[in-house]
Amino acid sequence: MSKFRYYAAKATGQAAVPAKAIHTNFLRTGRIVRNAEDWVEEERRFLTYEEVAARTGIRLENAGRKTHQRLNRFHKDIQFPKIIFHKTLAQAPHLGYIHVTASKTDFADYKDVTWGFYIANFSAEITADEKFFNRINHRYARMYFAVAMKNREADGTRQQVINREVRDNGVLFRTDDPRTALKNVLLLGARTAELRKIVAAIG
């Protein structure tokens, strides 16, 4: 992956003085007052990867909170815990993904499956190996996906990892359509056939 360079957008300065006001001031005083900003072009301030990752994290977490609110507003009997945390890509910190919620559900041949729902600000293939993301599109986009999870003991600590025994790669769904994602998550959270009918009726 090629190395990215990031710089801060030019800060918004004082409001520009209308040309008429400048002309009037000249007639009154015989001189035109200019700020230093009028003469010196502001240098670009390059951002560190840490600064970019911090800004990306704020945007991701805001998106995660809004999405969680939308999910829990749909029906009083379909409620999800708010479990918000994010990760940015090491070599491209303007890209990252946010964990929104997690729950358990039964579907198809799988029973009591723990899963997590994520939003990414990029699109990619989701692979069946440890790399997980492949062919990442660096352009800003949205990708919504849910994966099955399981606990694994490592170095004396318990970690949550992708359960690849479910559907070969652990992916329950992946879409770039927010409406489809909302419906899929609600279906995962619907505990009864009646609730699933209500969710399925979403256009």
Side-chain angles (χ1 to χ4, degrees):
M1 187 180 291
S2 57
K3 192 173 178 65
F4 290 91
R5 298 186 74 189
Y6 305 92
Y7 61 90
K10 186 175 181 180
T12 305
Q14 295 177 341
V17 180
K20 183 177 181 181
I22 293 174
H23 180 67
T24 303
N25 190 55
F26 173 74
L27 292 177
R28 185 169 54 81
T29 65
R31 61 192 177 87
I32 297 176
V33 176
R34 293 187 185 274
N35 295 324
E37 288 81 7
D38 295 329
W39 299 100
V40 180
E41 182 179 352
E42 183 181 3
E43 293 184 4
R44 287 180 173 180
R45 185 179 78 81
F46 285 91
L47 302 174
T48 66
Y49 272 29
E50 290 75 17
E51 288 175 307
V52 175
R55 293 181 182 204
T56 302
I58 291 170
R59 294 188 183 104
L60 288 170
E61 295 203 1
N62 286 340
R65 280 189 287 269
K66 288 178 184 175
T67 302
H68 180 264
Q69 289 171 1
R70 286 190 65 197
L71 287 167
N72 279 358
R73 279 200 303 256
F74 178 77
H75 195 285
K76 64 181 177 62
D77 291 327
I78 306 177
Q79 298 293 301
F80 299 94
K82 183 166 68 173
I83 309 172
I84 305 288
F85 60 88
H86 74 275
K87 184 173 178 60
T88 55
L89 304 189
Q91 298 304 315
H94 65 292
L95 303 178
Y97 54 93
I98 179 80
H99 181 282
V100 179
T101 190
S103 189
K104 286 186 178 182
T105 194
D106 295 337
F107 65 95
D109 298 327
Y110 305 100
K111 301 298 180 185
D112 203 26
V113 175
T114 300
W115 54 269
F117 170 54
Y118 296 82
I119 304 171
N121 69 351
F122 58 87
S123 61
E125 292 179 359
I126 298 179
T127 67
D129 56 28
E130 292 301 322
K131 186 178 179 183
F132 197 61
F133 294 124
N134 190 33
R135 296 185 181 177
I136 295 170
N137 184 345
H138 295 165
R139 295 177 182 173
Y140 284 106
R142 281 282 172 94
M143 179 173 68
Y144 307 85
F145 60 97
V147 293
M149 306 294 292
K150 67 178 181 179
N151 290 322
R152 181 179 69 182
E153 294 288 338
D155 299 326
T157 60
R158 193 167 65 173
Q159 299 175 337
Q160 282 249 305
V161 296
I162 297 166
N163 185 355
R164 301 185 192 283
E165 297 167 10
V166 177
R167 295 187 174 176
D168 296 327
N169 62 1
V171 179
L172 304 185
F173 73 82
R174 173 194 173 278
T175 181
D176 60 2
D177 179 25
R179 194 176 186 85
T180 300
L182 182 73
K183 186 173 181 177
N184 285 339
V185 175
L186 290 170
L187 283 171
L188 287 171
R191 301 289 183 180
T192 66
E194 187 62 34
L195 286 173
R196 285 190 287 274
K197 285 181 183 178
I198 294 171
V199 175
I202 299 175

